[in-house]
């Protein structure tokens, strides 16, 4: 608890410093607090350049942060969250201590120089690096180290966006990818601590100030559902374009990596010359789109421009997050959809701004596939609870569409491109090379689903695991029955003739090709000591697997491995 409080305080302080750095570099390189809202205005420091200073701002920033990242912390390049996920999943939560400082400077310079990226990725990596550094100094165990990393991520999100709940669920859903009571409690403490510091520095107002929106007619839910489907497609498209442009930059660039951000900054500057609204994070532009200040075609231009600008910023070696760009893209999509719906169905559609809000959460859910975080963070960023039901529906649909279209998210895709699948077993572990087929036992004598409980009880009592499969008369699999369930059902002496099929249940289905580590997880969460193995169609029983058979398979695999010790 003490460590989580310290990490939360450090992440909160880091968020304050990071936002100050962004503001300072933005004022220095553009002459405005947020150039995305300034149109084609000139830099007051260099008025003779007029609006063409945007060609030089990304180049100057790249000349500083390019060598900084290349020399001191290559992990600081890109959007940051995948590196944290990799550290938690594969490195025991260990993140080099210099990452926090390098990431803060590089990302602030990138955004201050016009990089069209967000703050969430950098602050997650900054807070996580602080948590990892503290854990390394104290020499905590790996499981505690991972929790401290998640505490840092949650604290950074909470302080930066004034969103303590969103910080917690971001850390649990994306960083830890697991919900345990102990971890949840520690992450909450860190998030609360960071939020107190963030609110002391930035105030307690919602991040986005918007007029209230209401669902005016039940028919609108169909429109919100359609928007959710479109947002899922756009979220996946954003991820695909991001990595296609990054691949193109990798293919074209032949110079030293430290110079890549500066040279590529010329391309980014050319885009900013056409669409200055792409400069930096762009929250004022997002706000204006939700309040109806832009026409339909311009909203679509901003949507496409943000996808290209963010992808180009990352592709040339920039440093920044993709969460804020996904919100921006969602706001443009939703506002454009709302305007179209209002034009086609003026009496039913309602205000376009409501669709913009829902689009923000839905596109993020479609790209990151983090529905809980998407719902919570939109609620906290806006303070609007009245739109929570259509928001949840659209986010659920966007997540489902995203899963249908691709197995990757915008975060895991970066790791898979490096050959890392954080959902797969850790390479080198004994279970990584085995499947259920290697641990499968013969099937015990099954019960038919019409067997009375009074006759099934003795058979279950004699079974080695207190569990037996239940089959139909034609041999089709119906589930399993456990001695505990049958005993509890027979306790009142009124169900002796009840067929066992009535109390059979369907546990997690395993097939011979299921990875052995997944089978272990299924056994750990099951109410029975053994689980059935089904054919690939999951209709017929072909085997049985238990803790004992898994341990036996692991022991045989270890015994058959060639020894690495030198011969005498």
């Amino acid at each position: 608890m003490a460590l989580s409080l310290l990490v939360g305080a450090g992440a909160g302080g880091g968020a304050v410093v990071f936002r100050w750095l962004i503001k300072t570099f933005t004022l220095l390189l553009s002459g405005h607090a947020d150039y995305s809202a300034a149109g084609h205005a000139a830099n007051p420091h260099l008025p003779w350049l007029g609006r063409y200073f945007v060609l030089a701002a990304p180049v100057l920033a790249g000349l500083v942060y390019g060598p900084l990242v290349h020399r001191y912390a290559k992990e600081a390049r890109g959007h940051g969250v995948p590196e944290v996920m990799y550290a938690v999943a594969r490195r025991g939560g260990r993140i080099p201590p210099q990452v926090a400082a390098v990431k803060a400077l590089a990302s602030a310079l990138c955004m201050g120089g016009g990089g069209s990226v967000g703050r969430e990725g950098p602050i997650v990596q900054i807070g996580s690096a602080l948590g990892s550094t503290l854990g390394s100094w104290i020499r905590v165990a790996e499981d505690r180290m991972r929790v401290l990393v998640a505490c840092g991520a949650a604290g950074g999100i909470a302080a930066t966006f004034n969103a303590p709940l969103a910080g917690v669920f971001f850390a649990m859903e994306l960083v830890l990818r697991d919900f345990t009571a102990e971890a949840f409690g520690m992450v909450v403490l860190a998030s609360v601590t960071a939020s107190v510091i963030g609110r002391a520095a930035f105030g307690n107002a919602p991040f986005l100030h918007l007029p209230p929106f209401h669902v005016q007619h039940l028919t609108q839910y169909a429109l919100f559902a359609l928007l959710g489907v479109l947002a899922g497609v756009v979220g996946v498209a954003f991820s695909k374009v991001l990595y296609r442009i990054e691949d193109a930059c990798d293919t074209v660039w032949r110079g030293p990596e430290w110079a890549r951000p500066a040279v590529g900054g010329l391309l980014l500057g050319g885009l900013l010359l056409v669409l200055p609204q792409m400069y930096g994070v762009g929250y004022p532009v997002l706000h204006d789109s939700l309040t109806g200040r832009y026409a339909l075609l311009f909203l679509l231009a901003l949507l496409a421009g943000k996808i290209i600008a963010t992808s180009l910023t990352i592709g040339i070696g920039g440093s920044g997050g993709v969460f804020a760009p996904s919100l921006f893209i969602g706001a443009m999509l939703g506002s454009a959809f709302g305007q179209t719906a209002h034009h086609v169905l003026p009496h039913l559609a309602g205000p376009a701004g409501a669709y913009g809000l829902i689009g923000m959460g839905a596109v993020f859910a479609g790209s990151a596939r983090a529905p809980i975080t998407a719902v919570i963070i939109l609620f906290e960023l806006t303070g609007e609870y009245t739109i929570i039901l259509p928001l949840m529906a659209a986010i659920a649909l966007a997540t489902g569409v995203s899963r249908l279209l691709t197995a990757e998210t915008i975060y895991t895709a970066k790791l898979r491109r490096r050959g890392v699948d954080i959902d797969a077993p850790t390479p080198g572990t004994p279970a990584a090379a085995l499947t259920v087929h290697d641990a499968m036992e013969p099937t015990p004598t099954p019960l038919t689903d019409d067997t009375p409980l009074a006759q099934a009880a003795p058979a279950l009592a004699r079974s080695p695991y207190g569990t037996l499969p239940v089959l139909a008369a034609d041999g089709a699999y119906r589930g399993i029955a456990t001695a505990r369930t049958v005993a509890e059902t027979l306790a009142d002496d009124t169900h002796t003739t009840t067929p066992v099929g009535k109390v059979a249940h369907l546990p997690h289905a395993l097939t011979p090709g299921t990875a052995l580590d997944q089978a272990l997880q299924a056994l750990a969460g099951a109410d029975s000591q053994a689980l059935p193995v089904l054919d690939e169609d999951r209709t017929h029983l072909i085997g049985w697997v238990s803790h004992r058979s898994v341990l036996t398979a692991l022991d045989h695999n270890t015994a058959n491995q060639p020894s690495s010790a030198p011969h005498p």
Side-chain angles (χ1 to χ4, degrees):
M1 290 176 66
L3 291 176
S4 67
L5 292 172
L6 284 174
V7 172
V16 173
V17 173
F18 181 53
R19 286 185 60 173
W20 175 83
L21 285 171
I22 295 173
K23 182 178 179 180
T24 299
F25 289 132
T26 302
L27 284 170
L28 178 65
L29 292 168
S30 74
H32 298 79
D34 194 322
Y35 187 74
S36 66
H40 290 282
N43 185 337
H45 303 316
L46 302 167
W48 52 275
L49 279 177
R51 64 178 184 172
Y52 294 97
F53 82 92
V54 295
L55 293 172
V59 176
L60 292 175
L63 284 173
V64 179
Y65 74 78
L68 181 69
V69 169
H70 184 72
R71 174 66 177 84
Y72 295 103
K74 291 183 175 64
E75 299 94 331
R77 176 183 168 181
H79 43 107
V81 175
E83 285 73 19
V84 175
M85 295 168 67
Y86 176 73
V88 169
R90 291 289 187 266
R91 300 184 61 190
R94 292 183 295 275
I95 301 174
Q98 70 271 19
V99 168
V102 174
K103 187 69 175 182
L105 288 170
S107 297
L109 279 163
C110 182
M111 284 180 270
S116 194
V117 284
R119 298 194 295 242
E120 110 290 340
I123 197 58
V124 164
Q125 199 168 12
I126 292 166
S128 298
L130 292 173
S132 178
T133 300
L134 179 61
S136 297
W137 288 346
I138 306 298
R139 295 183 180 277
V140 299
E142 279 194 2
D143 58 338
R144 298 299 177 90
M145 178 78 85
R146 294 187 181 95
V147 173
L148 289 180
V149 169
C151 286
I157 292 287
T160 301
F161 296 105
N162 188 21
L165 280 174
V168 170
F169 285 102
F170 187 97
M172 301 297 291
E173 194 172 21
L174 289 171
V175 177
L176 276 183
R177 300 163 64 84
D178 187 22
F179 287 81
T180 61
E182 181 182 13
F184 185 81
M186 298 305 102
V187 171
V188 167
L189 284 178
S191 183
V192 169
T193 305
S195 292
V196 171
I197 295 173
R199 291 181 178 184
F202 308 126
N204 192 23
F207 195 74
L208 295 173
H209 301 278
L210 303 168
F213 297 115
H214 304 279
V215 178
Q216 299 175 344
H217 197 281
L218 290 178
T219 311
Q220 289 179 243
Y221 280 97
L223 295 173
F224 293 135
L226 178 58
L227 175 58
V229 172
L230 291 175
V233 175
V234 171
V236 172
F238 174 40
S239 177
K240 298 297 184 183
V241 172
L242 175 72
Y243 292 110
R244 293 292 185 276
I245 291 181
E246 187 173 7
D247 286 341
C249 292
D250 290 339
T251 301
V252 171
W253 182 248
R254 289 293 181 267
E257 284 299 314
W258 63 265
R260 181 168 166 171
V263 177
L266 287 172
L267 291 175
L268 180 60
L271 179 59
L272 296 175
L273 191 62
V274 177
L275 276 176
Q277 291 82 4
M278 299 298 103
Y279 198 106
V281 181
Y283 283 122
V285 181
L286 185 153
H287 183 275
D288 288 344
S289 73
L290 296 177
T291 53
R293 295 189 60 183
Y294 300 136
L296 174 62
L297 292 179
F298 190 60
L299 287 170
L300 296 177
L302 291 175
L303 187 157
K306 195 66 173 182
I307 292 177
I308 296 172
T310 301
S311 303
L312 185 59
T313 303
I314 299 295
I316 64 174
S319 179
V322 295
F323 165 70
S326 69
L327 294 184
F328 188 104
I329 294 165
M332 302 307 129
L333 173 69
S335 298
F337 182 90
Q339 287 191 20
T340 303
H342 187 74
H343 179 74
V344 176
L345 302 169
H347 302 295
L348 298 177
Y355 297 90
L357 279 178
I358 292 171
M360 289 168 64
V363 169
F364 171 66
S367 60
R369 210 172 299 154
I372 301 175
T373 303
V375 171
I376 297 297
I377 204 163
L378 256 294
F379 167 59
E380 288 195 296
L381 287 182
T382 63
E384 282 295 325
Y385 186 76
T386 56
I387 209 164
I388 195 72
L389 292 181
L391 178 67
M392 291 171 67
I395 284 174
L397 286 170
T399 304
V401 169
S402 173
R403 188 176 295 278
L404 285 174
L405 294 176
T406 178
E408 302 170 340
T409 71
I410 200 167
Y411 296 128
T412 61
K414 184 174 183 179
L415 297 176
R416 289 196 179 191
R417 286 155 55 85
R418 298 176 182 173
V420 176
D421 184 0
I422 60 175
D423 293 318
T426 303
T429 60
L434 299 177
T435 64
V436 166
H437 181 270
D438 299 305
M440 197 163 59
E441 296 179 339
T443 306
T445 303
L447 299 169
T448 58
D449 57 0
D450 59 353
T451 303
L453 292 184
Q455 297 179 23
L460 285 165
R462 292 191 300 269
S463 66
Y465 304 117
T467 304
L468 289 174
V470 178
L471 305 181
D474 60 356
Y477 172 71
R478 289 288 181 262
I480 65 171
T482 63
R484 177 180 176 180
T485 301
V486 171
E488 290 174 348
T489 308
L490 290 172
D492 58 4
D493 294 328
T494 61
H495 296 282
T496 55
T497 60
T498 300
V500 72
K502 295 289 186 180
V503 299
H505 67 279
L506 293 170
H508 185 87
L510 302 175
T511 65
T514 302
L516 201 57
D517 72 310
Q518 295 181 18
L520 278 171
Q521 293 176 9
L523 283 165
D527 293 331
S528 58
Q529 299 179 41
L531 291 175
V533 182
L534 308 181
D535 59 9
E536 294 300 332
D537 295 331
R538 300 176 187 269
T539 56
H540 288 84
L541 184 70
I542 60 174
W544 206 242
V545 68
S546 65
H547 289 95
R548 185 174 66 184
S549 66
V550 169
L551 290 174
T552 301
L554 292 173
D555 179 63
H556 288 168
N557 181 66
T558 303
N560 292 330
Q561 293 293 324
S563 174
S564 60
H567 294 287

